[in-house]
Amino acid sequence: MKNNSIEMFVGLFMLIGFGAFVYLALQLGEVSFLTDSKTYIIVAEFDNVAGVKKGASVQVAGVVVGEVAAVRLGEDEVAILSLKIDKTLELPTDSMASVKSQGIIGDKYIQLSIGGDEEVFKAGDLIRDTESSLDIESLISKFAFGSAEK
């Protein structure tokens, strides 16, 4: 009888350990069906998003508030980014999205500058006020070899 209770205790311990492992895996992993309820998608159009990849961070004042969910080419040859934003952030409609870099040659991310409008973006809305990526290579070549326009 004593052997049987030890086996029950070990079995219960194993089930609790396995349950904790599954919980941690779901919390730390990128499980979309668990995190979709905590975020919403807004869209931004840029002329140039060189270096921005899916999964890049979206920041407000240096604090990560989301990530880039998709990067695609739209009509009129503009880059369209789908930004997955935390629902706790209410983004005013006069906010601005900029492509920034971590240092000189660091990873690219999207910086949101919060506006002052009372109306806020809803899921699927378009950010029209954007600032594209600065192309450092073309600036260096213009400086080194002179401008094509004289």
Side-chain angles (χ1 to χ4, degrees):
M1 191 72 172
K2 189 175 184 180
N3 194 20
N4 203 9
S5 63
I6 291 175
E7 288 177 2
M8 290 289 281
F9 179 72
V10 170
L12 183 64
F13 182 75
M14 292 294 290
L15 284 175
I16 291 172
F18 182 70
F21 177 72
V22 169
Y23 174 77
L24 285 174
L26 291 176
Q27 290 297 320
L28 297 176
E30 294 180 17
V31 181
S32 62
F33 70 87
L34 292 177
T35 59
D36 283 346
S37 63
K38 299 176 185 174
T39 61
Y40 65 99
I41 300 281
I42 57 174
V43 178
E45 288 184 351
F46 291 88
D47 293 328
N48 184 5
V49 291
V52 177
K53 298 175 184 141
K54 179 181 175 182
S57 67
V58 176
Q59 299 181 6
V60 173
V63 177
V64 176
V65 295
E67 68 178 17
V68 176
V71 180
R72 70 184 204 286
L73 187 63
E75 296 176 13
D76 302 328
E77 297 179 359
V78 294
I80 299 176
L81 298 183
S82 297
L83 308 176
K84 191 185 297 187
I85 307 293
D86 189 4
K87 277 192 177 175
T88 60
L89 176 68
E90 292 184 351
L91 195 62
T93 55
D94 63 341
S95 298
M96 182 172 146
S98 306
V99 177
K100 300 291 184 182
S101 178
Q102 302 275 0
I104 295 175
I105 56 173
D107 289 338
K108 301 282 185 161
Y109 66 96
I110 303 299
Q111 176 71 41
L112 296 177
S113 300
I114 303 294
D117 198 359
E118 299 212 3
E119 189 176 339
V120 296
F121 282 114
K122 296 173 184 63
D125 284 351
L126 175 69
I127 297 179
R128 298 198 185 278
D129 194 12
T130 59
E131 184 179 35
S132 294
S133 175
L134 181 64
D135 189 7
I136 294 177
E137 293 173 352
S138 66
L139 288 176
I140 292 173
S141 67
K142 282 181 183 178
F143 178 74
F145 304 113
S147 177
E149 301 173 20
K150 290 189 179 187

